């Protein structure tokens, strides 16, 4: 339903998929073939469902990272668990994610967009950009409750990338 409603508004949609940790097929954390999980299976179903729709393109990352260009800005997309201990509040963590970006894509990023932490936050970085962590689409679940996490409302992030590459109008919508 969501993709169809977006197709009614936009002429072209590029769906970028990065693997996370919530949809693993088993409890063992894998490195090789990590992207093949329940989310990947659902994405494969979407790919088949929209096979004859030329306005939508699916991009599935095997590395867990996508570097995209929005207007004049490069944005690195990743789930967050692909870099254990990622914390955009710490300079070393921001440098580490930039180093990974350069190592994978031979280009640097201005902005970084991730999830995993379940807590929405925006941190300005040293590249005149923003490190954004989206909240969570599901809120707290059984794992979170059993692990003693505080109840967090489900949320989704939206932002605008200006022509000059600056990110403005960052909104973390409460979906509850």
């Amino acid at each position: 339903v969501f993709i169809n409603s977006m197709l009614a508004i936009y002429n072209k949609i590029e769906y970028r998929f990065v693997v996370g940790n919530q949809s693993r097929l088993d409890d063992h954390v894998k490195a090789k073939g990590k992207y093949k999980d329940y989310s990947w299976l659902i994405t494969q179903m979407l790919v088949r469902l929209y096979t004859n729709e030329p306005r939508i393109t699916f991009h599935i990352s095997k590395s867990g990272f996508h570097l995209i260009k929005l207007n004049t800005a490069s944005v690195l997309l990743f789930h967050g668990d692909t870099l254990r201990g990622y914390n955009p509040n710490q300079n070393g963590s921001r440098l580490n994610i930039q180093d990974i970006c350069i190592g994978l894509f031979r280009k640097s990023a201005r902005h970084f967009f991730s999830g995993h932490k379940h807590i929405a936050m925006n941190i300005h970085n040293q590249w005149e950009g923003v490190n954004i962590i989206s909240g969570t689409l599901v809120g707290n679940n059984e794992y979170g409750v059993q692990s003693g996490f505080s109840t967090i409302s489900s949320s989704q992030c939206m932002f605008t990338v200006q022509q000059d590459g600056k990110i403005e109008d960052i909104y973390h919508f409460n979906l509850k």
Side-chain angles (χ1 to χ4, degrees):
V1 176
F2 177 76
I3 292 176
N4 289 338
S5 65
M6 292 295 104
L7 284 170
I9 299 169
Y10 298 104
N11 294 327
K12 181 180 176 184
I13 296 175
E14 292 198 32
Y15 178 85
R16 306 248 175 209
F17 170 79
V18 293
V19 69
N21 64 319
Q22 281 84 9
S23 59
R24 292 192 305 244
L25 295 172
D26 57 43
D27 289 337
H28 177 71
V29 179
K30 300 187 331 181
K32 184 175 179 157
K34 178 181 179 179
Y35 68 98
K36 290 187 176 179
D37 61 8
Y38 288 119
S39 295
W40 180 81
L41 292 170
I42 291 168
T43 303
Q44 292 303 308
M45 288 187 258
L46 286 172
V47 168
R48 284 171 180 74
L49 183 65
Y50 289 97
T51 298
N52 296 321
E53 177 52 72
R55 298 176 295 160
I56 188 166
T57 307
F58 292 89
H59 305 274
I60 301 171
S61 170
K62 292 183 180 180
S63 71
F65 297 91
H66 278 292
L67 182 64
I68 63 172
K69 192 80 155 186
L70 297 174
N71 289 329
T72 59
S74 294
V75 182
L76 185 70
L77 310 173
F78 62 106
H79 177 71
D81 80 316
T82 47
L83 178 59
R84 296 284 176 188
Y86 172 67
N87 180 354
N89 284 318
Q90 297 174 348
N91 187 49
S93 197
R94 291 190 308 270
L95 289 168
N96 193 18
I97 194 64
Q98 183 72 274
D99 187 51
I100 288 170
C101 180
I102 293 168
L104 287 173
F105 302 104
R106 302 291 181 238
K107 296 177 185 174
S108 62
R110 180 174 181 180
H111 307 289
F112 301 83
F113 186 72
S114 65
H116 182 64
K117 299 289 187 186
H118 293 251
I119 297 172
M121 76 174 77
N122 310 316
I123 307 292
H124 288 272
N125 65 38
Q126 56 268 51
W127 302 284
E128 297 183 4
V130 184
N131 290 55
I132 301 170
I133 296 181
S134 185
T136 173
L137 289 173
V138 297
N140 213 350
N141 58 16
E142 301 85 12
Y143 173 80
V145 172
Q146 291 175 2
S147 298
F149 297 153
S150 297
T151 303
I152 299 169
S153 295
S154 56
S155 66
Q156 179 63 54
C157 181
M158 181 187 298
F159 54 86
T160 303
V161 179
Q162 302 296 324
Q163 255 335 94
D164 63 2
K166 291 180 183 173
I167 286 185
E168 295 183 2
D169 305 322
I170 303 171
Y171 298 105
H172 295 276
F173 294 97
N174 189 339
L175 298 175
K176 191 172 183 182

